[in-house]
Amino acid sequence: MSPAILFLLALGLALAGWLAARARAWSFRTAEPGVRMAARPTYHAWYVALWIALPMLLFGVLWTILAPNLVNQAVLASPEAASLPAFGFQRDTILSEARNVASGASSAVFNPKAQALVEPFREAMTRYAWIGIAVSLVLAFLGGAWSFLKLKPDFRARTRVERIVMAILLLASLIAVLTTIGIVVSLVFETIRFFGMVNPLDFLFGLHWGPDPMSSAENPDSSRYGAVPLFWGTIFIGAIIAMIVAIPLGLMSAIYLTQYAAPSMRRWVKPALEILAGVPTVVYGYFAALTIAPSIRDIALFFGASNPSSESALAAGLVMGVMIIPFVSSMADDSIAAVPSAMRDGSLAMGATKSETIRKVLVPAALPGIVAGVMLAVSRAIGETMIVVMAASTAANLSANPLEAMTTVTVQIVAMLTGEGSFDHPATLSAFALGFVLFLVTLALNFIALRVVKRFREAYD
Amino acid sequence: MTVIHDNLEATEAKMRARDVNVYYGDKQAIDSVSIDIPQKYVTAFIGPSGCGKSTFLRSLNRMNDTIASARVEGTIELDGEDIYKSGMDVVQLRARVGMVFQKPNPFPKSIYDNIAYGPKIHGFAEDKDDLDAIVERSLVRAGLWNEVKDRLADSGTALSGGQQQRLCIARAIAVDPEVILMDEPCSALDPIATAKIEELIDDLAGRYAIVIVTHSMQQAARVSQRTAFFHLGKVVEYGRTSDIFTNPLEERTKDYITGRYG
Ligand SMILES: Nc1ncnc2c1ncn2[C@@H]1O[C@H](COP(=O)(O)OP(=O)(O)O)[C@@H](O)[C@H]1O
Ligand SMILES: [Mg+2]
């Protein structure tokens, strides 16, 4: 049963219910002209329509998740499945081949063993599709009938609809939260597998990063999984070099825009800055790799550096800093503009100059917003991959010299996942561990920032 | 145009406004106002809303400069020096002519830092002890010391409205001004807090030239010695407060103080 058909079916039935309920509600009016309805007929209509559509859709979502499993089980229980290899890779391939042919995704099987299973698959799929449609129709009918029978002149359809709407909104917000939790859980799962193969201490404190996906997965060399150079690279590029560029420039541009720029100027510059945030990061990557990195090398040569690398942390960090200026400036701009003008007037009336007022009154009062902007920028910089790949290389290097090639956590995650290794190899699994630790680090950063802001904020209301 | 009572005793004029016009863009808000602000007196500005009291008050310390569309013509002198002359140090002027606003606007800083702000930026204090002394003296003068001396590190915004307004007055006093301008300082306060502020104004009166804009006739009568009645951007009548309230010479003044309009 395809989701689209179910969806259309739900819409159609809901529409029918809607019209029927409205007609019924109208009939109350015509039957007893004097009676006071507790809700307008449209609300009765929506009430019934929602009761038809929602159970169907919820069931549909559930069924699309459950049905494939049920189909699989049915097929495995069939006599044709008896000849399958017991476990592992081959068995999975045969099953998925047969499934693909049965569902029409591919036209023929490679493995002759799969051919025998095509028919059972097709049968099971059709059967469960029909079951799905039947159950959803029954649900729609039950929901519709139950709600339709409740319609009365004094039925408070309006408050009921309100409650259903609230439930839908709640569900929507839960989905984001649940997804996040789901992501974390899946990360944790793979991370635990990884730590079963590689000593966590070696991972967290080791100074050498060089997993070899070709080595044997049975006995990995823990000393090659030291993540410190990666985290150092991430922090050095994303949180140090980039922030040295982005914080002052972003803050100063926000101050200029809110305090000095003429309104006509502000109207131009602010959107222009925000467009910067929308430039794809590959474009910045080109810029970093083709323009900035070579000039940095030339400058380094000029100052007598011997053999500077053409890829450098500095190039990536600088360009990343420019990329996140809009994050800092836009949040800082909003929060400075939100400081009541009474604060500014109070300071000016004391004989403070404009820049004293900005430094000592406006910026402190706007600090929470400014810090939030910086945090956003840091998370963005830490998660950035493209610029680093293009300008700072993929070589893990533990160094404080910004002219050297370095790499970051996200770059290595991509490198490990797109490699040749299987998902049972620690080199591949290390991507999950890296992601998990990165997640924890950003979480901690945000948490600390929140606490700091709460502690030092100068609330002006 | 302005009727000035002729029974005024001779006083030293701290500020002197002559033919002052203020415009917001094309709109004229103040129309050739010429009055003196006497030394060591409290001068009240009264008049219906929108007649330009705040506008005129703000032109006395050039706070109108912060409004892009505002333009001031004429001369306003402080101790005989034109404050609108070119090359005038506005920052210095505002330290000499302090201001208290309608709505209390303490900075979102500690009580101590609120008071210390002005002395710090003007470099009044040699060291921490100096600064402590200034903070204490200002709070004492503003009648707030006893209420806050144990909680100087608390935020100024955590005080009650009346306390906040006295904090703002203390903050203005801390930079040792010569003139204090108050724009309806009690309009956001309850009667008890208002009474405290009025008492405070009385205490401060001998030391500074004070100008207070007020909507309350009783308040003007209680705290001021001179009153200027504003109407439609002009000063209609100026004289001793007692005379303005008991014996106004102008019909419009009489109408306003008897509550016939405004
Ligand atoms: N920032 C401003 N921009 C334009 N017009 C203003 C501004 N402030 C005040 N005005 C106008 O100037 C006139 C005088 O206002 P104001 O001085 O605030 O009066 P008052 O304090 O006596 O109530 C009013 O007509 C008001 O609308
Ligand atoms: Mg006013």
Side-chain angles (χ1 to χ4, degrees), chain A residues 75-330:
Chain A
V75 171
L76 291 179
S78 69
E80 288 89 341
S83 63
L84 272 177
F87 285 110
F89 188 61
Q90 251 194 325
R91 177 186 163 104
D92 290 349
T93 334
I94 293 173
L95 280 176
S96 77
E97 243 184 77
R99 186 183 314 118
N100 283 343
V101 173
S103 68
S106 58
S107 50
V109 293
F110 280 120
N111 195 324
K113 274 190 188 158
Q115 187 60 54
L117 288 175
V118 170
E119 232 1 83
F121 255 114
R122 199 169 280 155
E123 219 168 72
M125 277 175 170
T126 334
R127 188 163 69 242
Y128 282 106
W130 280 116
I131 294 178
I133 290 182
V135 172
S136 55
L137 283 179
V138 168
L139 280 178
F141 181 75
L142 286 179
W146 188 72
S147 56
F148 196 83
L149 288 178
K150 290 182 81 166
L151 300 187
K152 268 181 286 172
D154 63 350
F155 178 61
R156 293 215 299 277
R158 203 163 153 208
T159 37
R160 293 305 182 89
V161 169
E162 194 73 8
R163 239 183 279 164
I164 298 176
V165 166
M166 195 201 75
I168 294 176
L169 296 179
L170 178 72
L171 199 72
S173 61
L174 280 183
I175 283 177
V177 176
L178 290 178
T179 310
T180 315
I181 293 175
I183 291 172
V184 174
V185 167
S186 68
L187 273 181
V188 169
F189 191 69
E190 303 293 345
T191 304
I192 290 172
R193 271 181 70 198
F194 172 71
F195 283 142
M197 306 180 197
V198 171
N199 186 342
L201 291 180
D202 286 337
F203 176 76
L204 289 176
F205 301 107
L207 302 184
H208 171 68
W209 178 261
D212 178 7
M214 294 305 143
S215 69
S216 135
E218 301 310 316
N219 236 332
D221 178 4
S222 270
S223 70
R224 301 183 70 124
Y225 288 91
V228 171
L230 305 185
F231 282 96
W232 166 247
T234 305
I235 288 170
F236 195 48
I237 294 176
I240 298 179
I241 301 178
M243 288 305 137
I244 287 175
V245 175
I247 293 178
L249 290 182
L251 201 53
M252 287 193 281
S253 74
I255 288 173
Y256 175 75
L257 284 179
T258 53
Q259 302 301 313
Y260 292 94
S264 55
M265 170 104 177
R266 187 176 153 84
R267 265 203 300 281
W268 274 98
V269 177
K270 200 167 147 59
L273 258 177
E274 276 156 13
I275 286 175
L276 266 187
V279 175
T281 55
V282 220
V283 177
Y284 284 103
Y286 283 127
F287 179 59
L290 302 181
T291 312
I292 301 297
S295 0
I296 286 176
R297 192 194 42 203
D298 293 346
I299 294 171
L301 273 178
F302 178 78
F303 282 106
S306 63
N307 196 16
S309 134
S310 65
E311 300 173 312
S312 65
L314 188 59
L318 289 181
V319 174
M320 208 185 270
V322 173
M323 178 189 86
I324 56 185
I325 285 175
F327 290 83
V328 179
S329 78
S330 158

Side-chain angles (χ1 to χ4, degrees), chain B residues 22-25 27-30 46-58 64 67-70 102 183-184 213 215 230 233:
Chain B
V22 182
Y23 302 86
Y24 291 111
K27 186 167 163 271
Q28 186 161 12
I30 289 294
I46 61 170
S49 325
C51 65
K53 306 176 298 289
S54 300
T55 301
F56 184 67
L57 197 73
R58 280 200 308 268
N64 279 335
I67 300 169
S69 66
Q102 184 165 353
D183 192 351
E184 301 187 31
V213 173
H215 259 122
F230 280 69

